[in-house]
Amino acid sequence: MTKFSKSNWLPSQLAENLAVVGEQIRLARLRRDLSLEQVAERAQCSRLTVAKLEKGMPTVSVGVLVRVLYALQLGDDILLLARDDKLGHVIQDIEIKNKKRASRK
């Protein structure tokens, strides 16, 4: 078990989501019949780092995540993050309804 620090603490729901993402990456690797070593070499990181990513460890950098996705030919999947910002659209609509004039830009 890893030592507690601010860098690896997450609310339980986020930790569960990260574990799901890690499992999805692991399954994608296995479907492609690639070893941890092969993915690590293609992603230019260590085998241990890829294993941590697959376990859902929050200390793995976003850069490593993107390189691993690219190594698995899933590089465009990063564009799916925060794509449908429903809350942001609701907030924006509320602010537009409350404005009496357009801003002076």
Side-chain angles (χ1 to χ4, degrees), residues 8-63:
N8 64 11
W9 178 84
L10 287 177
S12 61
Q13 182 62 47
L14 291 180
E16 290 172 17
N17 291 348
L18 200 52
V20 168
V21 169
E23 180 65 12
Q24 290 170 340
I25 289 171
R26 185 181 81 80
L27 291 172
R29 175 180 62 81
L30 293 174
R31 281 191 292 267
R32 287 159 178 74
D33 197 27
L34 296 171
S35 68
L36 281 173
E37 292 82 6
Q38 289 171 316
V39 173
E41 183 179 323
R42 293 175 186 184
Q44 298 178 349
C45 62
S46 71
R47 177 189 169 283
L48 181 62
T49 301
V50 176
K52 286 181 178 182
L53 178 62
E54 289 184 359
K55 288 180 184 175
M57 305 267 312
T59 55
V60 179
S61 75
V62 173

Side-chain angles (χ1 to χ4, degrees), residues 86-100:
K86 294 175 185 174
L87 177 61
H89 288 292
V90 169
I91 292 169
Q92 187 179 35
D93 292 345
I94 289 171
E95 288 177 0
I96 290 172
K97 288 178 185 176
N98 292 335
K99 283 188 178 181
K100 299 194 189 251

Side-chain angles (χ1 to χ4, degrees), residues 66 69 74-84:
V66 172
L69 288 174
L74 296 170
D76 289 340
D77 284 9
I78 198 73
L79 299 174
L80 300 176
L81 293 175
R83 184 180 69 177
D84 297 330

